Amino acid sequence: MASELPDYYFRVRENGAFVFRVDTENRQRRIDMDQIAVVNIRKGEIKPHGDRILSQEDLAAIGDWMRARSETLAARDIDDIHRAVDYLNLTTHWAQGKASEAQLDEVTDALLLAMHDLRSVLVRKKAERLMRERD
């Protein structure tokens, strides 16, 4: 185990995290984790757990974590999109050379609808950007 544990532990969940204060300064020298808050990143909320009152140190640590987590999630989002582009290229190669007629029958309609929907959104968003740049 590392020589020194952090003061806070964030148990990640879909919208944020449960925040725990880590305590190793006890007689049994075991790790105690005391939940102090619940964080919702999408809403920007920090809710104290139970009747707790969060210190300025608690709030600063939670705020730092929220900023870092938001950056991580944003980086993952764009990475996922780059992977989707790669996957579309791999799918094209598969459809052109490897797919059987039965496999193509199974996925063609779903792929065409998804690609049509994506194309519509991308064209509309690009047109909006071009109009803003022009104005």
Side-chain angles (χ1 to χ4, degrees):
M1 189 183 303
S3 60
E4 191 171 318
L5 294 173
D7 294 331
Y8 299 92
Y9 172 72
F10 296 83
R11 183 192 303 153
V12 175
R13 62 190 192 117
E14 186 176 334
N15 297 340
F18 295 109
V19 184
F20 297 86
R21 186 176 295 121
V22 177
D23 177 23
T24 57
E25 301 296 320
N26 54 59
R27 280 195 248 173
Q28 295 85 16
R29 299 195 44 89
R30 65 173 202 227
I31 299 171
D32 286 330
M33 294 193 327
D34 187 24
Q35 185 176 353
I36 62 169
V38 176
V39 173
N40 185 317
I41 289 183
R42 287 188 199 142
K43 294 181 181 179
E45 293 178 343
I46 301 171
K47 293 183 181 177
H49 181 69
D51 294 333
R52 294 219 177 262
I53 297 174
L54 299 175
S55 69
Q56 290 302 321
E57 182 182 342
D58 295 336
L59 293 171
I62 293 168
D64 289 346
W65 180 86
M66 289 174 74
R67 281 184 289 285
R69 182 69 178 168
S70 293
E71 290 172 8
T72 297
L73 295 174
R76 285 182 186 170
D77 281 348
I78 196 68
D79 187 54
D80 287 346
I81 300 307
H82 286 292
R83 288 181 207 210
V85 171
D86 288 348
Y87 205 73
L88 281 170
N89 286 315
L90 292 170
T91 302
T92 302
H93 183 70
W94 170 82
Q96 189 170 21
K98 296 179 183 178
S100 69
E101 287 187 22
Q103 289 172 320
L104 287 172
D105 283 342
E106 183 178 332
V107 299
T108 295
D109 290 342
L111 281 169
L112 287 172
L113 288 170
M115 290 185 317
H116 175 74
D117 185 30
L118 175 60
R119 184 183 184 284
S120 298
V121 169
L122 292 174
V123 167
R124 186 182 79 244
K125 292 290 197 173
K126 183 158 190 156
E128 289 171 0
R129 287 193 312 273
L130 291 172
M131 294 298 286
R132 277 195 308 270
E133 288 175 10
R134 193 182 74 175
D135 293 341

